[in-house]
């Protein structure tokens, strides 16, 4: 939750009578509740906000896309729609924590002082929208001195562009895509197999990448789980995996990632293949049930020895114990290591790696050699690269009876950068998703996967270089 801001007492005067009514039902030190009011606002904002009734309280669904910010209205207790300064506009700061303090900043300065026009109608939005205008730059932009000696919004570094920045660049691209390669420089025509590989990321309220991202062209894409800066973590689903695809939220995968980032050496949460929580979870000897779709717990907490009494227990899925083969082996080694360290003995190292669903990770080491394995520890390929995703997907397609031809790198088990589909070729990422224009085979040399990748990352000027000098007949129709 965003940190609440101090508000000058004069701006609070209108609400004093209401506030004093909940302060023990009487005046305090003759100040009509001001001291208590001030104390709650500074030291117990969660309790303070329980007494605030949000007027015109906005929610993400009621705000124009990308404008909802929590904790900015009515003493920092209510949500609001906020528009931020864009590239080249005058500014006083940045909402992006990478380039400023965001709304976690100076306690002595009221958040409301950073917003002008409470309830003001923005010229670019419908007149029925209650939108606040901020003097701070949007996510992905930093406020710094320009050549005119004024502070204006500039994009972040090429390697440091946030989710909101990429999202905004994608929207700008759709509004004014590259000219039609047939030669009409005024054309705003969107060419499917040239432009459709770009996708808009889903951003969290604080401007980072949401847990679940669905990437790639329509009917060709894949949903994956990512960390807050967009790096791939455990969990994915294709659209033909309906049960996994339609309910996917990646809540479990993100939580496991967070715990490992916090320094935990062993995490016993169980995630499904799509990154959702499995219904039954056990930690530190206690077990409980959780709804995979809502990620909310229900029912009692019971000792692991009594897990069969939980309403979510399924003997067919779980068997007789919670830990699976890979994690049982890993946790046994971790326990032995702790015992040896307590006796001053250096424990042996372990190269075993498990996924958050308790199965074996794709890459396992046999001495110095990395090899690809399936989730049951059956050898697939060697040598291995970073993930072996292509080899695993290829096996999954065969098991499901799906006729898909994919090109895997011989020396890694990952997807080759150039993939073939019939008489066409295209650039692919680590998940096999198309990340560039789709052209006929004879024009493969015109493709630049690096430029296409930069285009997707929000550098719009690189989009035309993804297939430089390509004309309309290069693309599939």
């Amino acid at each position: 939750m965003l940190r609440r801001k101090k508000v000058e007492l004069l701006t609070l005067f209108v609400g004093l009578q209401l506030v004093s009514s909940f302060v023990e039902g009487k005046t305090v030190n003759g100040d009509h509740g001001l001291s208590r009011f001030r104390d709650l606002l500074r030291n117990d904002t969660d309790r303070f906000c329980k007494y605030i009734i949000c007027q015109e309280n906005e929610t993400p669904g009621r705000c124009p896309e990308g404008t909802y910010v929590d904790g900015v209205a009515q003493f920092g207790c209510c949500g609001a729609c906020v528009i931020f300064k864009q590239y080249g506009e005058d500014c006083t700061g940045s909402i992006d924590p990478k380039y400023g303090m965001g709304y976690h900043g100076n306690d002595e300065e009221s958040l409301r002082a950073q917003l002008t026009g409470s309830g003001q109608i923005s010229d670019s939005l419908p007149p029925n929208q209650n939108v606040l205008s901020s003097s701070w730059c949007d996510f992905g932009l930093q406020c710094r001195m320009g050549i005119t000696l004024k502070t204006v919004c500039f994009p972040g570094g090429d390697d440091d562009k946030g989710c909101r920045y990429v999202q905004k660049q994608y929207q700008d691209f759709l509004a004014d895509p590259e000219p039609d390669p047939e030669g009409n420089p005024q054309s705003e025509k969107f060419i499917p197999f040239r432009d459709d590989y770009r996708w808009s990321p889903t951003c969290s309220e604080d401007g980072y990448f949401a847990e679940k991202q669905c990437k790639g062209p329509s009917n060709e894409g894949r949903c994956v789980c990512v960390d807050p800066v967009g790096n791939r973590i455990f969990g994915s689903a294709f659209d033909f995996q309906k049960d996994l695809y339609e309910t996917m939220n990646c809540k479990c995968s993100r939580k496991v990632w967070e715990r490992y980032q916090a320094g935990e050496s062993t995490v016993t949460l169980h995630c499904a293949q799509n990154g959702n929580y499995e219904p039954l979870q056990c930690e530190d000897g206690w077990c409980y049930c959780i709804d995979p779709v809502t990620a909310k717990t229900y029912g009692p907490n019971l000792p692991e020895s009594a897990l069969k009494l939980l309403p979510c227990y399924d003997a067919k899925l779980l068997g007789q114990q919670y830990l699976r083969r890979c994690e049982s082996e890993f946790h046994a080694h971790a326990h032995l290591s702790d015992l040896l360290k307590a006796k001053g003995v250096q424990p042996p190292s372990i190269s075993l790696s498990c996924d958050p669903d308790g199965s074996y990770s794709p890459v396992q080491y046999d001495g110095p050699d990395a090899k690809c394995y399936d989730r049951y520890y059956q050898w697939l390929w060697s040598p291995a690269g970073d993930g072996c995703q292509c080899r695993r997907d290829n096996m999954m397609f065969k098991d499901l009876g799906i006729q898909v031809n994919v090109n895997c790198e011989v020396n890694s088990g990952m997807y080759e950068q150039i993939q073939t589909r019939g008489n066409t070729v295209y650039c692919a990422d680590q998940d096999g998703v198309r990340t560039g224009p789709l052209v006929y085979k004879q024009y493969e040399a015109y493709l630049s996967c690096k430029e296409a990748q930069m285009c997707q990352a929000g550098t719009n000027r690189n989009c035309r270089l993804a297939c430089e000098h390509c004309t309309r007949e290069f693309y599939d129709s």
Side-chain angles (χ1 to χ4, degrees):
M1 179 180 291
L2 296 173
R3 188 175 179 182
R4 313 299 182 186
K5 295 294 175 177
K6 287 181 61 178
V7 184
E8 297 297 331
L9 290 178
L10 289 176
T11 65
L12 305 179
F13 183 78
V14 175
L16 289 183
Q17 296 304 318
L18 290 175
V19 174
S20 63
S21 67
F22 71 76
V23 183
E24 301 175 354
K26 59 182 180 180
T27 62
V28 179
N29 298 327
D31 65 357
H32 303 284
L34 277 175
S35 298
R36 180 62 173 156
F37 184 97
R38 194 161 40 209
D39 180 65
L40 282 177
L41 185 60
R42 290 174 176 171
N43 303 315
D44 194 353
T45 52
D46 287 338
R47 183 181 175 191
F48 172 83
C49 286
K50 292 180 181 179
Y51 298 99
I52 299 297
I53 299 175
C54 294
Q55 303 296 323
E56 299 292 334
N57 186 39
E58 303 296 348
T59 61
R62 285 169 51 87
C63 290
E65 184 176 357
T67 67
Y68 177 78
V69 181
D70 190 22
V72 299
Q74 291 182 249
F75 314 120
C77 296
C78 306
C81 311
V82 184
I83 55 174
F84 296 95
K85 297 293 185 179
Q86 300 302 316
Y87 172 70
E89 294 183 330
D90 295 345
C91 58
T92 61
S94 176
I95 180 61
D96 196 323
K98 296 177 182 177
Y99 309 116
M101 294 301 292
Y103 287 142
H104 298 270
N106 185 356
D107 281 341
E108 298 302 321
E109 186 175 5
S110 168
L111 167 64
R112 187 59 73 177
Q114 296 294 334
L115 301 170
T116 59
S118 177
Q120 174 182 341
I121 305 303
S122 168
D123 292 339
S124 60
L125 295 169
N128 63 338
Q129 297 287 358
N130 179 26
V131 179
L132 300 173
S133 299
S134 173
S135 60
W136 287 350
C137 299
D138 207 340
F139 289 95
L141 299 173
Q142 56 182 320
C143 184
R144 57 185 175 86
M145 192 75 72
I147 58 175
T148 61
L149 301 182
K150 291 184 178 180
T151 52
V152 296
C153 298
F154 286 93
D158 288 340
D159 298 326
D160 197 24
K161 293 176 180 176
C163 183
R164 290 278 177 84
Y165 178 81
V166 178
Q167 191 180 67
K168 179 66 166 55
Q169 296 305 300
Y170 176 76
Q171 293 168 351
D172 289 347
F173 170 78
L174 290 184
D176 186 21
E178 291 294 323
D180 190 323
E182 289 183 339
N184 180 2
Q186 304 302 318
S187 173
E188 295 183 353
K189 183 179 180 182
F190 181 92
I191 298 179
F193 295 105
R194 183 194 68 178
D195 303 321
D196 62 348
Y197 70 91
R198 293 192 68 179
W199 52 278
S200 178
T202 303
C203 306
S204 61
E205 292 176 12
D206 54 1
Y208 290 102
F209 286 84
E211 298 96 332
K212 172 187 173 183
Q213 299 292 329
C214 292
K215 56 183 181 177
S218 178
N219 301 320
E220 298 180 37
R222 186 177 199 172
C223 292
V224 299
C225 302
V226 301
D227 68 15
V229 295
N231 295 318
R232 183 80 154 80
I233 58 177
F234 177 83
S236 70
F238 288 101
D239 57 359
F240 57 78
Q241 297 173 295
K242 282 193 172 295
D243 291 341
L244 296 175
Y245 187 84
E246 293 177 353
T247 61
M248 183 175 178
N249 57 40
C250 297
K251 297 294 186 183
C252 181
S253 287
R254 180 66 75 84
K255 179 59 68 175
V256 170
W257 177 87
E258 290 173 352
R259 291 194 174 183
Y260 279 124
Q261 295 302 305
E264 295 187 36
S265 58
T266 57
V267 179
T268 58
L269 290 174
H270 278 173
C271 307
Q273 292 181 43
N274 62 355
N276 290 18
Y277 284 98
E278 289 190 357
L280 177 63
Q281 301 291 333
C282 293
E283 300 180 89
D284 301 322
W286 290 85
C287 301
Y288 57 92
C289 296
I290 189 168
D291 187 318
V293 177
T294 64
K296 294 182 179 180
T297 59
Y298 63 93
N301 285 3
L302 297 178
E304 190 169 341
S305 59
L307 63 82
K308 295 181 180 179
L309 300 178
L310 288 170
C312 56
Y313 173 77
D314 188 330
K316 293 181 180 179
L317 295 177
L318 187 64
Q320 298 302 311
Q321 66 177 31
Y322 178 74
L323 294 181
R324 275 122 195 200
R325 178 183 163 193
C326 181
E327 57 186 348
S328 293
E329 185 179 345
F330 185 87
H331 283 257
H333 181 274
H335 181 64
L336 176 61
S337 295
D338 291 340
L339 292 176
L340 291 176
K341 287 179 180 178
K343 296 180 179 296
V345 179
Q346 181 64 32
S349 61
I350 184 172
S351 59
L352 183 67
S353 178
C354 306
D355 274 342
D357 62 352
S359 67
Y360 291 89
S361 297
V363 179
Q364 303 288 339
Y365 282 87
D366 183 4
D369 301 323
K371 299 180 180 179
C372 295
Y373 288 85
D374 68 9
R375 60 198 309 268
Y376 305 107
Y377 208 46
Q378 299 296 313
W379 176 82
L380 292 175
W381 189 261
S382 60
D386 297 331
C388 301
Q389 189 68 61
C390 186
R391 293 292 172 184
R392 277 205 169 184
D393 286 347
N394 204 21
M395 183 183 70
M396 178 189 68
F397 295 145
K398 290 180 180 178
D399 291 343
L400 295 175
I402 299 175
Q403 298 296 320
V404 178
N405 293 321
V406 295
N407 305 324
C408 302
E409 291 183 355
V410 175
N411 62 348
S412 73
M414 299 173 65
Y415 280 92
E416 287 188 358
Q417 191 175 50
I418 298 293
Q419 293 289 318
T420 303
R421 181 193 305 163
N423 63 344
T424 60
V425 293
Y426 59 93
C427 298
D429 68 3
Q430 60 182 331
D431 289 299
V433 177
R434 178 157 71 88
T435 57
L438 183 71
V439 301
Y440 292 109
K441 285 183 178 179
Q442 60 266 37
Y443 305 118
E444 178 180 335
Y446 288 82
L447 293 179
S448 174
C449 298
K450 179 181 178 180
E451 301 294 346
Q453 184 179 14
M454 294 181 68
C455 173
Q456 171 56 39
T459 311
N460 283 352
R461 64 178 179 272
N462 291 82
C463 298
R464 62 181 180 82
L465 302 177
C467 192
E468 193 172 14
H469 304 304
C470 293
T471 57
R472 187 64 186 88
E473 60 267 19
F474 284 35
Y475 304 102
D476 195 8
S477 59

